[in-house]
C-alpha cells in the first residue's frame, strides 16, 4: 500500500542503495530523480486521499450489491444502473487531482470524459427512463 511510512522506507532504501556496477551519469540522474519523486510523494499528503478511498469503497460495495441483487432477481436494473454510474463517475472525478499532480494530462482528459459520460447516462436514465 502506498503510505507515508512506506514511501519513507523506499526513500531510505534508494539513498542507501549501492550500485552493482559503476553507474553512468544517466543512471545516476535516474536514481536521483526516483529519490526526489519518492520524497515528493512522501511529504505531500493529498487532501483527496480519504474521499478517494471512501468513494472507491462505496463504488465497489454498490456494484457488488447490484450484481448480487440482479443475480437473485429482486432488483430493477433501471434503478440500480444510475447509481452504479454515478458512483463510478465520482471515482473518476476524484482521481483528476491525482493525475494533475503527476502531470498525466491524457489521463485527466480520459477521466473527465468518463465521468461526464457516466453521470450523463445516469441522469438520462433517471429522468428519461421512467417516462416510457
Amino acid at each position: 500500500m502506498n503510505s507515508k511510512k512506506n514511501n519513507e522506507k523506499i526513500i531510505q532504501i534508494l539513498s542507501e542503495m549501492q550500485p552493482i556496477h559503476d553507474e553512468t551519469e544517466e543512471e545516476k540522474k535516474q536514481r536521483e530523480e526516483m529519490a526526489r519523486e519518492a520524497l515528493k510523494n512522501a511529504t505531500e499528503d493529498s487532501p483527496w486521499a480519504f474521499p478517494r478511498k471512501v468513494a472507491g469503497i462505496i463504488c465497489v460495495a454498490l456494484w457488488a450489491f447490484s450484481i448480487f441483487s440482479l443475480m437473485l432477481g429482486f432488483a430493477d436494473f433501471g434503478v440500480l444502473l444510475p447509481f452504479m454510474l454515478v458512483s463510478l463517475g465520482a471515482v473518476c472525478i476524484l482521481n483528476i487531482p491525482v493525475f494533475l499532480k503527476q502531470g498525466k494530462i491524457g489521463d485527466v482528459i480520459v477521466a473527465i470524459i468518463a465521468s461526464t459520460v457516466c453521470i450523463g447516462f445516469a441522469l438520462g436514465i433517471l429522468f428519461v427512463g421512467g417516462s416510457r
Side-chain angles (χ1 to χ4, degrees):
M1 182 140 77
N2 192 9
S3 66
K4 186 174 182 176
K5 190 174 185 180
N6 287 344
N7 285 339
E8 289 171 354
K9 287 180 185 178
I10 292 170
I11 292 168
Q12 182 181 2
I13 290 170
L14 286 174
S15 64
E16 295 173 355
M17 224 166 69
Q18 296 295 327
I20 297 172
H21 57 81
D22 293 335
E23 62 184 357
T24 62
E25 283 296 317
E26 183 178 324
E27 291 171 339
K28 185 176 180 181
K29 288 179 184 177
Q30 287 177 349
R31 184 175 50 82
E32 291 172 355
E33 179 65 29
M34 285 173 45
R36 275 194 301 273
E37 188 69 30
L39 182 63
K40 177 182 167 187
N41 289 337
T43 57
E44 293 181 11
D45 291 332
S46 173
W48 297 103
F50 182 71
R52 283 178 53 225
K53 287 180 185 177
V54 170
I57 291 169
I58 290 172
C59 184
V60 168
L62 186 58
W63 279 65
F65 170 75
S66 299
I67 290 171
F68 182 72
S69 62
L70 288 172
M71 285 173 44
L72 294 178
F74 64 86
D76 183 21
F77 197 67
V79 174
L80 291 176
L81 184 63
F83 296 109
M84 292 168 63
L85 289 172
V86 167
S87 67
L88 187 60
V91 171
C92 290
I93 288 172
L94 289 173
N95 280 322
I96 292 173
V98 176
F99 293 146
L100 283 174
K101 177 182 160 189
Q102 295 173 351
K104 297 179 177 180
I105 303 301
D107 290 344
V108 170
I109 294 169
V110 170
I112 290 171
I113 292 170
S115 61
T116 304
V117 167
C118 286
I119 293 175
F121 280 155
L123 293 175
I125 291 170
L126 283 175
F127 291 125
V128 179
S131 65
R132 312 185 243 154

